[in-house]
Amino acid sequence: MSRCLLVILLFLAPLLGRAQGIVVLGDSISAGYGLQETEGWVHLLGQRLASQCSAMPVINASVSGETSDGGVSRLPALLERHQPDVLVLELGGNDGLRGLPPSRLAGNLEKMVSLGQQAGARVVLLGMRIPPNYGRAYTERFEAVFKQVAENNALPWVPFFLDGVVEAGQIQSDGIHPTAEAQPTLLDNAWPVLREVLPKDCQQ
């Protein structure tokens, strides 16, 4: 093998070995709590891309009950293993339900965004709102975190991922988790910002 060809192969090796795909790092909303695996919005996203963009597999790394602390802990290994082109962050709801400090959520989201970008992934943020159980001030500070992190890092983002779901009554009997009927709406909510970071042939 010529020296020139060897140099070219060494240069291309990291690119050829890189997986082209999407990692969704979320909580029970993306894990599909109470649903069949094939009913969740992440699975529906995978189906959509498989039909028009098979080079973009979708890896669902979501865990029910996950907080932003857990996301920070798990993300480095996920990035190393999957080397995704796109990282979707859908975390924070459990932080809010537990009354954890919004500043802690903000710091964790910033860390995950930084880790994703350093690994070469384009990051998408799915925002969340919570009931006013802890008072108006806490609720507003919590909601503002997602906007601030998105603006700080120029991220494509969704202000409220569950938009339209509660209004349609598509919530399970626990009063928290979306039903199977809500999953296409969740995908529709995420799709406009996901399109921004996908290759053109995946944007139909």
Side-chain angles (χ1 to χ4, degrees):
M1 182 181 295
S2 71
R3 185 181 183 86
C4 181
L5 180 57
L6 179 60
V7 170
I8 292 173
L9 289 175
L10 288 173
F11 175 78
L12 290 176
L15 300 178
L16 295 173
R18 182 179 177 83
Q20 291 186 332
I22 301 172
V23 164
V24 179
L25 181 59
D27 52 32
S28 56
I29 303 299
S30 295
Y33 178 88
L35 308 177
Q36 297 294 321
E37 182 179 352
T38 56
E39 293 177 323
W41 81 269
V42 179
H43 182 82
L44 298 181
L45 171 63
Q47 286 185 319
R48 176 177 293 188
L49 291 177
S51 65
Q52 64 193 41
C53 186
S54 59
M56 291 293 287
V58 179
I59 298 97
N60 193 352
S62 304
V63 175
S64 293
E66 187 74 286
T67 63
S68 63
D69 285 345
V72 169
S73 177
R74 291 198 298 123
L75 183 55
L78 290 169
L79 293 171
E80 182 177 0
R81 178 180 178 184
H82 299 292
Q83 301 180 38
D85 286 325
V86 177
L87 172 65
V88 180
L89 296 176
E90 184 273 303
L91 286 171
N94 288 312
D95 294 59
L97 292 176
R98 298 178 187 185
L100 300 179
S103 58
R104 182 163 151 188
L105 170 61
N108 284 337
L109 288 175
E110 289 283 0
K111 288 178 185 177
M112 288 185 280
V113 170
S114 179
L115 287 169
Q117 292 177 338
Q118 289 174 18
R122 288 158 287 180
V123 182
V124 170
L125 182 63
L126 303 182
M128 191 57 61
R129 297 173 186 165
I130 57 171
N133 299 37
Y134 297 102
R136 179 177 177 181
Y138 179 89
T139 302
E140 291 179 350
R141 286 173 56 214
F142 174 87
E143 184 176 341
V145 164
F146 297 94
K147 180 179 181 180
Q148 192 61 58
V149 171
E151 290 181 349
N152 287 349
N153 298 280
L155 301 180
W157 74 296
V158 176
F160 183 37
F161 186 39
L162 299 184
D163 190 31
V165 171
V166 176
E167 297 85 340
Q170 296 176 332
I171 297 293
Q172 297 180 41
S173 59
D174 61 11
I176 297 175
H177 297 97
T179 62
E181 291 74 20
Q183 302 305 306
T185 299
L186 294 181
L187 178 55
D188 288 343
N189 289 345
W191 184 247
V193 296
L194 281 170
R195 287 184 62 184
E196 295 183 32
V197 298
L198 295 175
K200 288 185 178 181
D201 58 343
C202 300
Q203 296 179 1
Q204 301 302 317

